[in-house]
């Protein structure tokens, strides 16, 4: 049977379609799986323009999210920094931490929802920053980077109402503080989920600048009033008693005269 010209063209077109489909299918099978590793970009300031205005920071709160141990540093009307419980501090290390926090740059930043991989599903520590314009920020600190030189962190913009308030006075005794530091809470204080921006920051900043403010507040050494050496009282040297010759009595004088007469 002789096929018509149109039929031959149709068969050729079908064959071409089949060949194209086979080629595309083979390419899809051999294509490598998509890379799920987050792509990091060079990080920038974590707290935006706060870097240019660190003087806006009025309170710094550091908290261990596993135990609840907390230290609060505040600035008074005279721009003097101290602990919230009134104890004076040597403010140099606090001012250094504040300036470094305000201008903190990330080593790199990427988006991820695998928070447990970076220790950010339950961050180990959180640092709260309060500013004079009623804005607050949180820096959540997770696990260490595999190279050991950085920590994974993420930030949040909050309101001042989100910042932890001081504990009741009954719970702020030294005994309560030592118990809080030694006892883990039943549930972590912070739980993060979803997709967030993850950054890395230098290990030295976390371990040498921030955490000492939580574990060992830089208390000021009290200035004692100058002591005066007691003045020794002059000692009186013992003097020899004066020996006086008793005056001669009239009777003795008369006897002496009578004896002397020829």
């Amino acid at each position: 049977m002789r096929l018509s010209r149109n039929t031959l063209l149709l068969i050729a077109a079908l064959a071409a379609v089949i060949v194209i489909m086979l080629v595309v299918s083979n390419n899809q099978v051999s294509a490598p799986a998509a890379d799920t590793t987050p792509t990091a970009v060079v990080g920038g300031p974590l707290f935006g323009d706060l870097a240019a205005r660190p003087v806006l920071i009025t309170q710094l709160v550091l908290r261990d999210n596993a135990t609840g141990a907390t230290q609060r540093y505040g600035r008074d009307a005279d721009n003097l920094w101290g602990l919230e419980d009134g104890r004076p501090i040597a403010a140099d290390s606090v001012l250094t931490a504040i300036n470094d926090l305000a201008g903190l740059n990330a080593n790199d930043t990427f988006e991820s929802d695998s928070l447990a991989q970076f220790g950010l599903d339950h961050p180990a520590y959180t640092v709260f920053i309060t500013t004079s314009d009623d804005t607050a920020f949180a820096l959540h600190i997770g696990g260490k980077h595999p190279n050991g030189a950085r920590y994974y962190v993420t930030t949040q913009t909050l309101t001042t109402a989100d910042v932890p308030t001081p504990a009741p006075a009954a719970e702020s005794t030294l005994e309560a503080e030592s118990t809080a530091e030694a006892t883990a809470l039943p549930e972590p204080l912070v739980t993060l989920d979803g997709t967030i921006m993850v950054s890395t920051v230098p290990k030295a900043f976390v371990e040498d600048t921030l955490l000492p403010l939580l574990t060992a507040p830089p208390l000021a050494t009290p200035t004692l009033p100058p002591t005066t050496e007691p003045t020794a009282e002059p000692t009186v040297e013992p003097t020899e008693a004066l020996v006086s010759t008793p005056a001669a009595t009239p009777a003795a004088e008369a006897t002496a005269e009578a004896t002397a007469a020829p």
Side-chain angles (χ1 to χ4, degrees), residues 28-125:
Q28 288 178 342
V29 170
S30 59
D35 186 5
T36 58
T37 303
T39 301
V41 297
V42 177
L46 291 183
F47 299 108
D49 59 358
L50 189 61
R53 301 183 298 164
V55 293
L56 293 180
I57 298 176
T58 57
Q59 181 180 234
L60 185 66
V61 180
L62 302 99
R63 185 179 66 192
D64 183 328
N65 291 327
T67 66
T70 304
Q71 291 293 353
R72 296 172 178 78
Y73 299 86
R75 190 182 71 186
D76 62 18
D78 297 322
N79 290 327
L80 298 177
W81 283 87
L83 286 166
E84 289 294 314
D85 59 12
R87 288 178 291 171
I89 60 171
D92 288 350
S93 55
V94 176
L95 293 174
T96 296
I98 287 170
N99 288 324
D100 289 352
L101 263 173
L104 183 60
N105 284 300
N107 294 106
D108 47 42
T109 299
F110 54 89
E111 198 174 63
S112 178
D113 59 359
S114 302
L115 305 188
Q117 177 181 349
F118 311 109
L120 288 171
D121 53 337
H122 302 301
Y125 304 96

Side-chain angles (χ1 to χ4, degrees), residues 35-241:
D35 186 5
T36 58
T37 303
T39 301
V41 297
V42 177
L46 291 183
F47 299 108
D49 59 358
L50 189 61
R53 301 183 298 164
V55 293
L56 293 180
I57 298 176
T58 57
Q59 181 180 234
L60 185 66
V61 180
L62 302 99
R63 185 179 66 192
D64 183 328
N65 291 327
T67 66
T70 304
Q71 291 293 353
R72 296 172 178 78
Y73 299 86
R75 190 182 71 186
D76 62 18
D78 297 322
N79 290 327
L80 298 177
W81 283 87
L83 286 166
E84 289 294 314
D85 59 12
R87 288 178 291 171
I89 60 171
D92 288 350
S93 55
V94 176
L95 293 174
T96 296
I98 287 170
N99 288 324
D100 289 352
L101 263 173
L104 183 60
N105 284 300
N107 294 106
D108 47 42
T109 299
F110 54 89
E111 198 174 63
S112 178
D113 59 359
S114 302
L115 305 188
Q117 177 181 349
F118 311 109
L120 288 171
D121 53 337
H122 302 301
Y125 304 96
T126 297
V127 179
F128 298 93
I129 302 169
T130 303
T131 68
S132 57
D133 58 2
D134 293 329
T135 303
F137 303 94
L139 176 70
H140 301 293
I141 303 172
K144 279 186 182 179
H145 190 277
N147 67 12
R150 289 176 277 170
Y151 274 85
Y152 291 109
V153 301
T154 190
T155 61
Q156 283 183 305
T157 300
L158 310 172
T159 65
T160 53
D162 298 318
V163 178
T165 55
E171 297 179 9
S172 62
T173 62
L174 292 177
E175 181 179 356
E177 288 177 2
S178 61
T179 301
E181 291 175 1
T183 306
L185 298 174
E187 296 292 338
L189 289 173
V190 178
T191 298
L192 302 179
D193 55 19
T195 300
I196 64 173
M197 296 302 296
V198 180
S199 301
T200 60
V201 297
K203 167 189 171 185
F205 171 72
V206 174
E207 295 186 358
D208 300 338
T209 301
L210 288 182
L211 295 188
L213 295 181
L214 172 63
T215 58
L219 299 178
T221 303
T223 303
L224 299 177
T227 57
T228 56
E229 294 292 334
T231 304
E233 295 182 0
T235 57
V236 180
E237 294 292 334
T239 58
E240 296 182 359

Side-chain angles (χ1 to χ4, degrees), residues 27 123 176 186 252 255 257:
N27 288 339
T255 303
E257 290 177 359

